Amino acid sequence: MPTSGVLAGTADAPATAGDRDDPARAPAATASAAAAPARSWKDRLKAGLGLSRVKLGTALTSVFRRRKLDDEALADLEDALIAGDVGVDAAQHLIADLESRWKRAGDDANPRSELAAALVDLVAPLERPLVIGAERPFVIMLVGVNGAGKTTSIGKLAKWLQQQGLTVLLAAGDTFRAAAREQLAAWGERNGVAVIQQTSGDAASVMFDAVNAAKARSIDVVLADTAGRLPTQGHLMEELRKVKRVIGRAQEGAPHEVLLVVDANTGQNALAQVKAFDAAAGLTGLIVTKLDGSAKGGVVAAIAKQHPVPLKFIGVGEGLDDLQPFVARDFVDALLPADN
């Protein structure tokens, strides 16, 4: 039988890498977070993308200072972009675009400004914010591989939705791991939202119960967790299709969003995940997590070039407010090193 409860809690988040998926283990983080001065999202984004910026920095900074785009400089730029996990296709596209822009602008052009403009144009189509439609409940299904930060992202997304004035219910669809249900329950307690879970049964039945519970309680949004799985696990990918079908039977037109949570640390493998999960579940958006622990922020450009799926949110830290909507210009400004 399903169990649920509205659990009261605080809105603070884990503060160590080991606590990313277990908010109950982070009481010390609350005091340290309260003592630290608040930083703007742009500052946190820039700090979070520091490793990626350093990885791109040597070759790019050299060109920016020379303010000259000869064949050697372009080759250095392409190598730096590929090393930064932009990918070969996206790097070649950016270099060709940069050459074209440079020719139009003339020798007095600023290489960094021209590269930034080319990169913004490439990733801008991914900038499509999450919009909660009129359907009630509005169901968001979250998928991904193990360890991508899916449970943590659900907790942060729940808080973000509450800040938009919406009520939220969590569905603990990872029926394989008791720890996953416990972690989701902890996030529910911290955010003060109900969690629908079962001690036995399959994910599809949990989703069915959760959607019906949301209807009965007039909840605005259901965040539906699913078990982590590898794209190569055919039977588990088929189960994902089943879960999606059952949600559709519980609520016509649902799920209204299917979001893939991707760990930036996986680099180019993230692109393979996007392709596989899109084929299995019909993705409507992405959440890219752990950019603060990775030097592979350039993978966003690779996704934009090879398999563009809207990037709804990016995560650059462990605080609840460190998951924010993707803004192309802000991302590029934080990713590229300065030209001075």
Side-chain angles (χ1 to χ4, degrees):
M1 294 295 292
T3 61
S4 65
V6 180
L7 306 170
T10 64
D12 300 300
T16 65
D19 290 335
R20 282 185 187 273
D21 290 321
D22 190 355
R25 292 172 54 195
T30 305
S32 60
R39 293 190 298 170
S40 71
W41 167 245
K42 287 186 179 182
D43 286 343
R44 284 179 282 149
L45 178 60
K46 187 171 184 178
L49 288 173
L51 292 175
S52 296
R53 189 168 57 254
V54 168
K55 193 169 185 179
L56 288 170
T58 303
L60 296 187
T61 301
S62 175
V63 173
F64 295 162
R65 287 174 176 169
R66 280 184 286 169
R67 293 183 177 272
K68 180 181 179 182
L69 280 185
D70 53 21
D71 289 343
E72 181 182 358
L74 290 170
D76 288 344
L77 281 173
E78 184 173 350
D79 289 345
L81 291 169
I82 293 172
D85 271 270
V86 167
V88 174
D89 288 352
Q92 291 176 344
H93 169 85
L94 287 169
I95 292 301
D97 191 7
L98 180 58
E99 281 190 278
S100 177
R101 290 171 185 272
W102 186 264
K103 290 176 181 177
R104 292 197 303 269
D107 290 340
D108 292 333
N110 183 316
R112 185 195 186 281
S113 296
E114 298 301 328
L115 178 60
L119 190 52
V120 168
D121 282 356
L122 176 60
V123 302
L126 303 185
E127 186 184 320
R128 289 171 54 187
L130 177 66
V131 176
I132 304 301
E135 301 88 349
R136 290 296 180 271
F138 189 91
V139 183
I140 302 174
M141 178 179 170
L142 292 100
V143 302
V145 303
N146 286 320
K150 190 157 40 63
T151 305
T152 301
S153 295
I154 289 173
K156 294 177 180 180
L157 183 54
K159 181 63 177 179
W160 184 86
L161 290 165
Q162 288 176 314
Q163 291 172 340
Q164 315 308 307
L166 299 166
T167 54
V168 181
L169 182 144
L170 308 183
D174 186 349
T175 56
F176 291 103
R177 296 188 307 127
R181 296 193 298 272
E182 293 168 2
Q183 289 162 6
L184 198 66
W187 279 111
E189 182 176 0
R190 296 179 76 82
N191 287 325
V193 301
V195 179
I196 300 298
Q197 56 182 309
Q198 294 181 0
T199 55
S200 61
D202 63 11
S205 64
V206 173
M207 300 306 182
F208 192 85
D209 288 345
V211 172
N212 284 312
K215 290 179 180 178
R217 304 176 192 186
S218 299
I219 296 291
D220 295 319
V221 182
V222 174
L223 295 179
D225 190 16
T226 59
R229 65 203 73 217
L230 295 173
T232 54
Q233 295 173 307
H235 65 294
L236 293 181
M237 297 301 277
E238 181 55 42
E239 185 205 50
L240 202 59
R241 297 183 182 95
K242 175 187 174 183
V243 169
K244 186 179 179 182
R245 289 194 300 270
V246 169
I247 291 175
R249 286 200 289 270
Q251 168 84 345
E252 186 176 356
H256 307 100
E257 294 276 356
V258 180
L259 305 183
L260 171 65
V261 180
V262 178
D263 180 351
N265 288 289
T266 59
Q268 288 296 299
N269 183 259
L271 182 59
Q273 293 177 34
V274 172
K275 293 177 179 178
F277 278 95
D278 193 20
L283 300 178
T284 62
L286 306 176
I287 298 176
V288 176
T289 66
K290 306 181 186 179
L291 281 164
D292 56 312
S294 167
K296 300 180 179 182
V299 72
V300 171
I303 292 170
K305 178 60 180 172
Q306 295 191 47
H307 201 91
V309 174
L311 179 49
K312 304 294 188 179
F313 293 90
I314 55 175
V316 294
E318 295 158 5
L320 275 175
D321 292 329
D322 288 332
L323 184 76
Q324 294 289 328
F326 173 72
V327 178
R329 169 58 68 178
D330 292 348
F331 179 82
V332 170
D333 284 345
L335 180 65
L336 293 182
D339 60 356
N340 49 36

